[in-house]
Structure formats: C-alpha cells, structure tokens
Amino acid sequence: MELGVGSYLKKINKSLILSKIIKHAPISRSDLANITKLTKATISAQVADLLEEELIIEFQTEYNSVGRKPVMISLSSNAGYALGIDLDYRDIKFTISDLMGNQVYSDKVELKNSNYDEILHILIRQIRVYQEKYSHSRFGIIGVVVGIHGTVTNEECISFVPHHRWYNKDLKADIEKNVNIVVNIENNANLCSFAEKIYKFHQSKNLISISMYSGIGIGFLINGELVKGYHGYAGEMGHMIINPNGKPCNCGNFGCWELYASEVSFINALSEKLNKPKLTYEDIGNLVIERNPAVMDQFDEFIKNVSIGLNNIINILNPETLVLNSELLKLFPEAMSLIQSNLKASISNYKEIFISDFGTNACVMGACALAIKNFLEIPELSLSVEQDEFYNQVI
C-alpha cells in the first residue's frame, strides 16, 4: 500500500514539475522548488529522472556576475512530436508540432468524396508517413488527435457528421487497428476552444469559442474544463432554432442558427444576390472596400443573426471570454463594434469578446496541444507560439 501511495505521489509531482517547466522555461531548480512548493531533494530526484527519460534538457546561460553560472531547465521540445488532424468536408489538414506546441510541418489533402473507407485509408497512410518521418526523435509521434466536424460521444465514437452523412463510425478503433499509436477523436469546436485557452487566454476559466465556417460549432470551458454533456454532444448551438418557419437543416429541424450566421450561409446568399458563384474572401474583401450595397446589406443581416445567437449563449452560460473564429468578420472593420452594440442582455453578461487570431488553424493547434497534454500526463498546459508559425508551409 505504501509503495502504491509513493508511486502515485511521485507521478503527481512529476506532472506538476513538467507543467511548471513548460510554463516558466527556462527555469532553475531552485525556482522550480519555490513555484511548486516541493523540497529541493524532490526536485533533484524528479529532474534526474526526467533527464534520464530525455524529456528535459539542462544548460548554462550567459552570466556576467561573479560565481557559478546558473543551470537552467527546459523541456526537450524535439524529443517527440504531436500530430493534429482537422477532418473537414472538403479537405483534411495535418499539422505536426513539437512538444512545446510549435508547428514544424503542415500538409493538406483535398477530399474527392465522403466515402468513409477512402478517407480512413488516407488517414492511415498519412499517419504512417509521419511515424516514419519523425522516428528519429526520442519518442517519435507521441499521439494523434483528430478533429471531427460533427458530434462525438464521450467514448470518442463519431455519432453524426452532417456534411459527410456519417453515422456511428468508430474512427478511433479503425485507425488504431492499422497503426501502433494512441489516437483520440474530438469535436473540432472543442479543440478550437482548447487552443484558445492553451495558447492565448491562459487565465480565462470560462471561455467559449465559436467556429463560424461551414456551420457553427461551439466549444466551451467552465472552470477551465471542457464541457461535453451527458453523451458528449454539448455545444451544438449551431442547431438552436432562431426562425421556426425558416430554412430546412440537415439536423432535421427548420431555422437553425448556422443556416443564417455561418460563413457558408453568408457566402451562398451573397453569391445568389450577385449571381457570382465561388466567391472568395478576397472578392468579398474588395466588395467591402467598395462598400458594395449588396454585400453591405448582406453583412447587416449577418450581424443581426450572429447577435441573436450570441445573446442566447450569453444568457445561458454567462461566459468570461467569447472568441469568434471567423475569417469573414475580419473583412469588416466595424464588425465587432456592431456585434457588441447588439449584446445588451440585462439578465446576464460577459467580460470580453474577440475575433480569433488562429482562424482555420485553431482545430489543429488544439489537437496538437491535447496530444501533448495527454502524453505528458499533466494537469495544466500553457503554451505560447508565434502565430506566424501556424501559417507556414501548407501543401
């Protein structure tokens, strides 16, 4: 029994020390002891074990004062690599990050159809390629996390993906049968909210991230933890009804929020007005600069519908931080001021609202971060990367 308790405490201490090394690196042993409140002997023993595992490195810094140069500790960021995957309906994005969350490679594969077996084959093939490519590192690929644009159960099974029309797919098991690696499946909106928390809003305990691209997905953290609900479907607020007599939705209802407040709904409506198929963000940006009447009218309608949903969410969840993940909103300089002027609920409120810096990279960033957290088995993860690193090579 004592041996079991000792092993458990040692594991807890290791997790705490690793999380503080990541957050405060480079850091000395004495500073680690002060921050963690652990004894210097415990710190020394744990650091020795971590050095033997090759998870951390020690080095001396430049030191101009008299005396011994301080020895600093950092995570060995290239000891292993995380693979984050965003499985959307048009393409699959693959991103490799080191253990500090810095992107080292990104790739994209376009999808020709929604055939499950074909897409499964692509995933298995690419995972094997990355396993081989990064096999030189101490731990290789330390985990794979796949973001799904649909409902995912608490057991990590896919319940429904609207755009692919997939029902009840055990993608995790199907991949793990073919590759010797741990695979996790998560809703893409949850991964987006996780990315916002891990990479930027470190102090926010109650955060909601709203992805507004092909549909509307919402991930939210309460007291710092992802909220998934009884089956794992919490956050499907894109399917709250804002117009009972409105358009039919893939979910089976009418007038769902995402039919009026997603980017694809805006682009489709504007394309019809202008009789111009395949509008790009650049096209829309130029129309905004010209103050084209059609695009400005459509924008006013879009903001109204976005605000209806946000008011509902604020009244239900009373968030600290709201993050809108939308490339479209970035094209309209007045977007945020107009949205904020519409959020006037007297019953509940929020603290701050932003447009995400991460854009369409948020899902893979969150996926890599979750793989790192799971591998290191740490209670908290706090990363910081330059956003430009996530806009590097995309093939």
Side-chain angles (χ1 to χ4, degrees):
M1 182 60 124
E2 289 183 3
L3 181 62
V5 171
S7 298
Y8 177 72
L9 289 175
K10 186 175 181 180
K11 183 178 180 181
I12 294 295
N13 289 339
K14 177 183 177 181
S15 298
L16 176 61
I17 289 168
L18 270 174
S19 65
K20 297 307 180 185
I21 289 174
I22 293 170
K23 185 174 183 179
H24 299 285
I27 187 170
S28 67
R29 294 189 186 205
S30 60
D31 286 341
L32 259 180
N34 291 333
I35 290 172
T36 61
K37 308 302 181 186
L38 297 172
T39 66
K40 290 184 178 180
T42 299
I43 294 294
S44 292
Q46 288 281 355
V47 166
D49 288 346
L50 291 170
L51 285 168
E52 187 176 347
E53 290 181 53
E54 300 180 32
L55 265 177
I56 63 172
I57 54 174
E58 281 191 316
F59 56 94
Q60 289 186 322
T61 59
E62 292 296 326
Y63 191 64
N64 297 323
S65 301
V66 176
R68 183 182 300 175
K69 291 181 180 180
V71 177
M72 308 301 283
I73 301 168
S74 288
L75 190 73
S76 179
S77 61
N78 60 359
Y81 297 89
L83 172 55
I85 300 174
D86 182 1
L87 203 172
D88 207 344
Y89 75 105
R90 291 175 178 162
D91 53 55
I92 310 174
K93 180 183 285 186
F94 300 86
T95 291
I96 300 286
S97 82
D98 63 23
L99 294 184
M100 287 298 290
N102 301 301
Q103 178 186 290
V104 297
Y105 185 77
S106 187
D107 196 358
K108 186 183 286 187
V109 176
E110 291 188 7
L111 297 177
K112 297 178 181 178
N113 57 57
S114 292
N115 183 277
Y116 177 78
D117 290 332
E118 289 184 24
I119 292 174
L120 174 63
H121 175 74
I122 292 170
L123 291 168
I124 293 168
R125 181 192 69 206
Q126 291 297 111
I127 291 170
R128 286 173 175 168
V129 167
Y130 298 128
Q131 283 182 301
E132 175 63 27
K133 184 172 181 178
Y134 295 95
S135 61
H136 65 277
S137 63
R138 171 69 173 84
F139 297 99
I141 298 295
I142 52 89
V144 178
V145 176
V146 185
I148 301 296
H149 294 244
T151 52
V152 178
T153 71
N154 286 324
E155 292 73 36
E156 299 186 56
C157 288
I158 295 172
S159 177
F160 177 50
V161 179
H163 286 291
H164 287 306
R165 309 301 296 177
W166 291 350
Y167 293 89
N168 303 319
K169 299 293 185 182
D170 195 351
L171 184 64
K172 173 182 171 69
D174 290 339
I175 295 175
E176 287 183 340
K177 286 176 196 171
N178 294 275
V179 294
N180 183 28
I181 197 167
V182 176
V183 177
N184 294 109
I185 309 296
E186 184 57 88
N187 171 267
N188 77 299
N190 285 343
L191 292 175
C192 290
S193 66
F194 193 66
E196 299 292 347
K197 165 70 173 173
I198 298 301
Y199 288 98
K200 186 168 183 180
F201 300 101
H202 300 139
Q203 305 306 316
S204 182
K205 294 293 185 183
N206 296 279
L207 179 148
I208 297 175
S209 172
I210 304 173
S211 298
M212 304 172 63
Y213 296 97
S214 56
I216 291 184
I218 298 179
F220 56 101
L221 298 100
I222 303 297
N223 295 324
E225 298 294 329
L226 276 173
V227 176
K228 298 188 179 184
Y230 178 61
H231 289 106
Y233 307 158
E236 289 297 324
M237 294 180 190
H239 294 286
M240 63 181 167
I241 297 169
I242 66 168
N243 183 355
N245 300 312
K247 305 170 187 176
C249 183
N250 284 332
C251 75
N253 285 317
F254 292 83
C256 291
W257 187 34
E258 70 174 36
L259 299 177
Y260 304 89
S262 64
E263 293 198 353
V264 72
S265 70
F266 177 96
I267 293 170
N268 287 342
L270 185 61
S271 294
E272 188 174 336
K273 278 185 180 181
L274 298 175
N275 193 25
K276 185 176 180 180
K278 297 183 179 179
L279 278 173
T280 66
Y281 288 117
E282 184 178 1
D283 294 333
I284 296 170
N286 290 332
L287 291 169
V288 171
I289 293 171
E290 297 168 6
R291 310 302 285 185
N292 177 276
V295 75
M296 299 314 296
D297 287 347
Q298 189 62 40
F299 174 65
D300 289 342
E301 185 70 15
F302 180 67
I303 290 297
K304 181 183 77 173
N305 290 321
V306 168
S307 302
I308 289 171
L310 291 180
N311 271 302
N312 290 338
I313 291 168
I314 290 166
N315 282 328
I316 294 168
L317 296 173
N318 182 215
E320 177 184 359
T321 306
L322 274 166
V323 184
L324 307 181
N325 196 316
S326 168
E327 295 301 303
L328 190 60
L329 290 177
K330 294 177 183 178
L331 300 177
F332 294 88
E334 62 269 46
M336 288 308 295
S337 60
L338 289 173
I339 289 173
Q340 287 174 295
S341 69
N342 289 334
L343 304 182
K344 299 176 180 178
S346 59
I347 304 301
S348 188
N349 215 319
Y350 65 97
K351 180 182 178 183
E352 52 192 2
I353 184 168
F354 302 94
I355 296 178
S356 175
D357 291 333
F358 303 146
T360 55
N361 291 301
C363 179
V364 288
M365 291 173 71
C368 288
L370 184 58
I372 294 167
K373 185 175 184 292
N374 290 343
F375 170 68
L376 296 177
E377 298 181 294
I378 54 178
E380 293 184 3
L381 181 64
S382 181
L383 301 173
S384 180
V385 296
E386 293 296 327
Q387 178 56 19
D388 287 347
E389 294 177 10
F390 274 86
Y391 286 92
N392 285 345
Q393 179 181 6
V394 177
I395 298 175

